[in-house]
Amino acid sequence: MPEQQFAKVAYDIERSIKIALLNRDMTQKELAELIHANPQQLNRAIKGDMTPKSRELREQVARVLNL
C-alpha cells in the first residue's frame, strides 16, 4: 500500500475511534482500562502502529465501540 494511502487509512481509523469515544463520553484512558491495555500502547494502536499487538488492540476497540 503506498504511503499516502496508508496515512489516509490510519487517519480514518483514528478519527472513527475518537468520534466513537466522544459519542460515548469516554476517554482513551477509560477505554484502555476497559480492554485491559496500557494507555500508551492503545494510543500507538489508534495512531496506526502496525505491530501485532496494536492490530489486536484495534480489533478489541472495534468490538467494544461497535465499529
Side-chain angles (χ1 to χ4, degrees), residues 3-67:
E3 188 67 28
Q4 195 172 28
Q5 285 179 325
F6 174 75
K8 171 80 169 102
V9 169
Y11 173 80
D12 290 344
I13 291 170
E14 178 181 2
R15 187 168 185 247
S16 296
I17 292 170
K18 290 190 175 188
I19 288 170
L21 288 172
L22 283 171
N23 288 337
R24 288 164 178 78
D25 195 30
M26 181 185 282
T27 66
Q28 274 186 225
K29 185 175 180 184
E30 291 170 333
L31 177 60
E33 291 171 0
L34 185 66
I35 63 173
H36 306 290
N38 180 299
Q40 292 84 6
Q41 180 64 43
L42 177 60
N43 188 53
R44 284 191 295 272
I46 290 172
K47 295 285 187 187
D49 185 49
M50 293 304 293
T51 62
K53 179 66 176 177
S54 290
R55 289 177 183 194
E56 178 185 322
L57 287 175
R58 280 192 297 274
E59 289 175 10
Q60 290 177 1
V61 167
R63 280 193 299 269
V64 168
L65 299 178
N66 297 319
L67 298 177

